Amino acid sequence: MSSEKIDAIHDKSSGQGVDGKISVSVQDAESQDVHINLGQPGQILKLDKTGLPLVPQPSDDPSDPLNFPQWLKIAILLQVSFLALLGPLNQATINPAFVPLAAHFHVSTVVASYQTTIAIAFAGIGSFVWVPLANTYGRRPLLLFTTLIAAASSLGSGKALTWSQLIATRVLNGLGTSSFFTLGAGMVSDTFFLHERGRAMGVFTVFLTNSAHIAPIPGGFLGQFVSYRWCYYLPAILDFTMFVVMFFCLPETLYLRGSTPVVTDKPILRRMKLWGLRPAGKHLKASDFFRQFIMFKYPTVLLTAFYYSVTFTLSSILPAVTSATLFRQLYKFNASQTGLALGLGTLVGSTLGELLGGIVVDRSMYLSRKGKKDGEIVPEVRLQGIWAGAILQPIGLLVWGFCIQYKTPYIGPTMGFGIMCFAIQIISTVVYSYNADCYRPQTPEIAQVLNFGRQTVGMTTGFWAIPLGTKIGFQWMAVTMSLVGIVTFLPVVYFMFHGKTIRDKMGAPSYNRSL
């Protein structure tokens, strides 16, 4: 970075605060676009490899997650990403095996899908408990605890002897896995700088999105050739395996900015403790369980979350909960064939979408900052990367609906799956990255809003999808749902041009600012 650019940044500093530290607000601090803490007076501004200021500025504490070596950051990203994959995997592995499940419990295949719907619903509720606890006691102990809940409840689902027992264990499984989506996103934000966050969030969301697409592949073969019970046993085994890996390999990333560094010659090893890392002065209060609802009042969070929830439901959950029934009726597919058709098509689409999504959003942010003298950061730049997903999502839905209605060869709806999942991966990466940039300290709460919306909207799919398509025709259902997706996208377009103004008027949340 040139001396002129550094001088320009320092010229915009707000001087010494009450703690004697110098800070820079690249934009209005109330908008929380960027608030760079420069540390003590005279401390050198830390830059990235392109010469732009690191955002956020890391402390001099070696146990600060921003100062972790890159290999450890990648290890953390892979662990929380795989954990995010296990969430929908717990819920969706059974989907291709609805026929044997329904036969065993003497219910219809539509009713059999309700146990997935219930798990999805409670996966949207549980995080309202886990996030406040994790913000006080740490991400690591909460993730370990909830992973054990997920493993035990999934094992219990496989052992269930009655329908009511199965439903009860699925409720517990949804509650346990709910932390995987929210706390994992918080750990990504804790660890990576702004210029890395888009790609890191892209990796996280590709695991999250692809989980429901991978799940039908083993689920179909297990349901057909072994037993539907193994569609629950497999996630239980993977949950427990992940618990062991995280116990030995996942450090705590909760860190209070401005806290006094703890003198130790093994800072990373210290972060592997299960307790004793609670930030000084941080105590759990009843109000902490209600603070997370504050994020619902911010239009940029609420409306982008609603658009994401609708498109995720139509692009990922809709194929997952309807394929077992429709592919059996139309193509006489067994469980393993349904799993392969659903899993491979969606997996290829999501993977290709991630190759485009994460790179594009990070590159657009870099070019935007590079072109400004003071390195000004406007998160709305991220939203420009959403166009490919927004255009392709309704196209894929229409391909799926018309192919189902007119009984084309199975490759038709499978191509529709792939297009939709290509689109939703781009949408997911952009929405997660944009909101994390707008309100970084509140990333877990934002992930909670996204998770709650996705799970709440998605849980309804099993109740209306096949009945609606049967009544009005799957082609008209696809047209209707495509129009719904386009309407919910309109606020996102508005935010591209006026999002900063809206955020400036709303101000920034007052809690978690030191995280």
Side-chain angles (χ1 to χ4, degrees):
M1 173 179 280
S2 67
S3 59
E4 291 83 1
K5 185 173 288 189
I6 295 176
D7 290 340
I9 293 175
H10 280 278
D11 287 343
K12 295 185 72 173
S13 67
S14 56
Q16 292 191 17
V18 294
D19 57 357
K21 293 183 179 181
I22 295 177
S23 65
V24 165
S25 294
V26 177
Q27 292 189 30
D28 182 357
E30 282 301 307
S31 71
Q32 200 174 322
D33 288 337
V34 178
H35 185 76
I36 305 175
N37 183 3
L38 300 184
Q40 299 299 330
Q43 182 175 328
I44 298 175
L45 182 66
K46 297 171 183 176
L47 310 176
D48 64 22
K49 62 182 180 180
T50 66
L52 292 170
L54 286 171
V55 180
Q57 283 282 293
S59 67
D60 292 326
D61 185 355
S63 65
D64 182 346
L66 293 173
N67 291 325
F68 284 172
Q70 197 67 18
W71 65 264
L72 182 56
K73 292 185 178 186
I74 294 172
I76 293 170
L77 173 62
L78 291 177
Q79 288 177 83
V80 298
S81 296
F82 191 77
L83 199 62
L85 181 146
L86 288 181
L89 193 80
N90 275 261
Q91 300 153 19
T93 303
I94 189 64
N95 287 354
F98 284 164
V99 174
L101 177 71
H104 179 83
F105 287 104
H106 306 291
V107 297
S108 69
T109 55
V110 174
V111 173
S113 71
Y114 294 169
Q115 51 78 43
T116 296
T117 297
I118 288 171
I120 291 173
F122 279 88
I125 296 173
S127 56
F128 287 98
V129 175
W130 305 132
V131 169
L133 291 173
N135 283 341
T136 300
Y137 299 105
R139 326 275 200 219
R140 171 175 162 81
L142 263 295
L143 280 179
L144 290 172
F145 176 65
T146 53
T147 302
L148 281 181
I149 293 177
S153 58
S154 194
L155 179 63
S157 296
K159 294 289 187 181
L161 300 178
T162 65
W163 183 252
S164 60
Q165 289 177 354
L166 177 61
I167 295 300
T169 56
R170 296 299 270 167
V171 168
L172 290 174
N173 190 257
L175 292 173
T177 58
S178 62
S179 70
F180 300 177
F181 314 112
T182 53
L183 301 187
M187 295 186 85
V188 172
S189 184
D190 291 340
T191 308
F192 288 92
F193 295 106
L194 177 85
H195 68 282
E196 306 168 319
R197 198 177 299 148
R199 193 168 301 181
M201 280 295 186
V203 172
F204 179 81
T205 57
V206 80
F207 275 77
L208 172 61
T209 305
N210 269 322
S211 177
H213 311 149
I214 295 172
I217 300 176
F221 284 98
L222 290 172
Q224 181 178 350
F225 297 110
V226 186
S227 167
Y228 80 85
R229 296 184 186 275
W230 272 94
C231 295
Y232 299 117
Y233 294 156
L234 176 63
I237 293 170
L238 293 175
D239 290 340
F240 185 73
T241 301
M242 199 62 217
F243 169 83
V244 174
V245 171
M246 292 191 303
F247 185 85
F248 291 104
C249 302
L250 184 67
E252 179 59 67
T253 64
L254 184 66
Y255 185 82
L256 193 65
R257 300 278 137 205
S259 59
T260 303
V262 176
V263 178
T264 175
D265 57 350
K266 297 179 180 179
I268 296 176
L269 187 61
R270 179 179 175 273
R271 290 246 139 201
M272 296 299 296
K273 294 169 60 178
L274 286 176
W275 56 83
L277 295 177
R278 186 175 69 182
K282 179 69 173 174
H283 300 283
L284 186 66
K285 303 183 292 294
S287 60
D288 291 340
F289 292 95
F290 300 97
R291 280 180 173 176
Q292 47 210 317
F293 293 99
I294 293 174
M295 299 312 300
F296 283 95
K297 80 174 186 178
Y298 293 91
T300 52
V301 175
L302 180 63
L303 295 179
T304 57
F306 185 60
Y307 172 63
Y308 164 72
S309 300
V310 169
T311 51
F312 188 93
T313 296
L314 298 177
S315 303
S316 184
I317 298 178
L318 177 64
V321 301
T322 60
S323 293
T325 300
L326 294 176
F327 276 42
R328 180 169 174 262
Q329 292 176 352
L330 298 179
Y331 309 116
K332 311 302 179 186
F333 273 21
N334 55 37
S336 60
Q337 290 172 318
T338 299
L340 284 173
L342 176 61
L344 291 179
T346 52
L347 180 61
V348 170
S350 286
T351 303
L352 292 176
E354 166 49 26
L355 292 176
L356 175 65
I359 295 173
V360 168
V361 295
D362 273 347
R363 184 66 179 171
S364 61
M365 178 61 75
Y366 166 70
L367 292 176
S368 174
R369 294 183 67 196
K370 186 178 180 182
K372 297 178 184 293
K373 182 179 179 181
D374 56 6
E376 182 183 33
I377 299 169
V378 181
E380 281 68 29
V381 172
R382 298 264 198 209
L383 293 178
Q384 297 296 334
I386 207 170
W387 283 106
I391 293 170
L392 288 174
Q393 190 276 328
I395 292 175
L397 183 58
L398 291 172
V399 170
W400 174 81
F402 277 81
C403 288
I404 289 292
Q405 181 63 32
Y406 295 105
K407 301 178 182 179
T408 69
Y410 76 91
I411 194 64
T414 302
M415 287 292 293
F417 294 162
I419 295 171
M420 283 192 287
C421 288
F422 179 91
I424 194 57
Q425 183 55 47
I426 295 174
I427 293 169
S428 300
T429 298
V430 171
V431 170
Y432 268 86
S433 300
Y434 168 66
N435 282 296
D437 289 350
C438 291
Y439 307 105
R440 193 199 70 82
Q442 293 79 30
T443 297
E445 287 79 8
I446 291 170
Q448 187 173 343
V449 173
L450 294 171
N451 177 54
F452 179 75
R454 180 183 65 241
Q455 305 298 92
T456 303
V457 177
M459 68 160 286
T460 66
T461 312
F463 297 103
W464 58 260
I466 292 179
L468 179 62
T470 302
K471 185 171 183 178
I472 68 172
F474 285 91
Q475 81 280 34
W476 293 117
M477 185 184 84
V479 170
T480 303
M481 293 298 105
S482 296
L483 292 174
V484 170
I486 292 171
V487 170
T488 58
F489 177 62
L490 295 179
V492 180
V493 177
Y494 184 80
F495 293 148
M496 291 179 187
F497 304 98
H498 303 287
K500 182 182 182 304
T501 302
I502 294 172
R503 289 185 291 106
D504 288 346
K505 289 181 180 179
M506 295 296 298
S510 59
Y511 67 97
N512 288 354
R513 287 196 174 189
S514 58
L515 296 182

